[in-house]
Amino acid sequence: MDKAEELRYLILAVQREGNRLLTEALRPLDLTPSQAEVLQVLEQFEPLSLLELGERLVCETGSPSRLVNSMVEKGLIQKATSEADRRAVQLVLSDRARQIMPELNAIQAEFNKLPLGVLDEATLDLTVEVLWRFAETTSGGQALRHRQQQKETG
């Protein structure tokens, strides 16, 4: 196995293990990692149209309509009429989702500490820099960059 192939499989292995651990951590909230990402994006940027939400999601490429519809059925997201354009639909968190957000955010904060158990701060910074080289032109990388930029401009 050459180094490039090893890197590819190591990234896949780390991603799968991380997803498994996050799925396990979210089980008490009856959420998947994708649903958790939607809730956190909406919490930061709501109200959003389906297109705007899709532009900010790493978990979902293209339109997240099926994911959103399942979350509406589950009572986590509400569809509201846009004040700017009565024909447009805006997505917002439901009251139920707002109630679980503190616990979801706590789970995510704990989960986000995991790399620091393996990497020192300098190595983490370097790892993030290297991974951005791979991700910057991907749809997931663009979604993450869009979230970062919007958060910075507030």
Side-chain angles (χ1 to χ4, degrees):
M1 179 180 300
D2 67 18
K3 285 293 180 186
E5 183 180 17
E6 183 179 6
L7 174 64
R8 182 170 57 97
Y9 281 112
L10 283 169
I11 290 171
L12 179 60
V14 169
Q15 187 274 331
R16 285 192 173 166
E17 181 62 13
N19 203 48
R20 185 190 68 74
L21 291 171
L22 185 56
T23 297
E24 193 175 296
L26 294 170
R27 189 167 286 122
L29 297 179
D30 191 29
L31 294 174
T32 66
S34 295
Q35 291 169 338
E37 183 183 3
V38 168
L39 293 179
Q40 289 189 303
V41 168
L42 282 176
E43 182 184 43
Q44 289 179 355
F45 304 112
E46 72 178 336
L48 293 173
S49 69
L50 187 63
L51 177 64
E52 291 169 330
L53 176 65
E55 290 172 346
R56 290 162 180 80
L57 293 178
V58 176
C59 69
E60 195 75 28
T61 56
S63 173
S65 56
R66 281 198 306 226
L67 176 59
V68 166
N69 287 340
S70 71
M71 295 177 74
V72 168
E73 289 174 14
K74 206 171 176 179
L76 296 168
I77 296 176
Q78 293 177 326
K79 293 182 177 182
T81 303
S82 169
E83 292 182 19
D85 179 355
R86 304 304 260 164
R87 298 168 296 167
V89 173
Q90 298 283 288
L91 305 172
V92 296
L93 294 175
S94 70
D95 290 340
R96 178 174 174 233
R98 289 183 202 290
Q99 289 175 347
I100 65 171
M101 287 312 297
E103 191 173 353
L104 172 57
N105 290 331
I107 289 169
Q108 292 279 11
E110 272 309 301
F111 189 79
N112 291 342
K113 291 178 185 176
L114 290 177
L116 294 173
V118 179
L119 305 172
D120 61 48
E121 195 74 38
T123 305
L124 180 61
D125 288 344
L126 179 60
T127 302
V128 168
E129 180 184 327
V130 169
L131 289 175
W132 265 115
R133 291 180 196 168
F134 287 97
E136 66 189 345
T137 60
T138 67
S139 60
Q142 291 169 353
L144 191 54
R145 185 68 75 203
H146 193 71
R147 280 168 36 189
Q148 288 176 327
Q149 290 169 345
Q150 187 173 2
K151 199 171 188 179
E152 289 168 4
T153 59

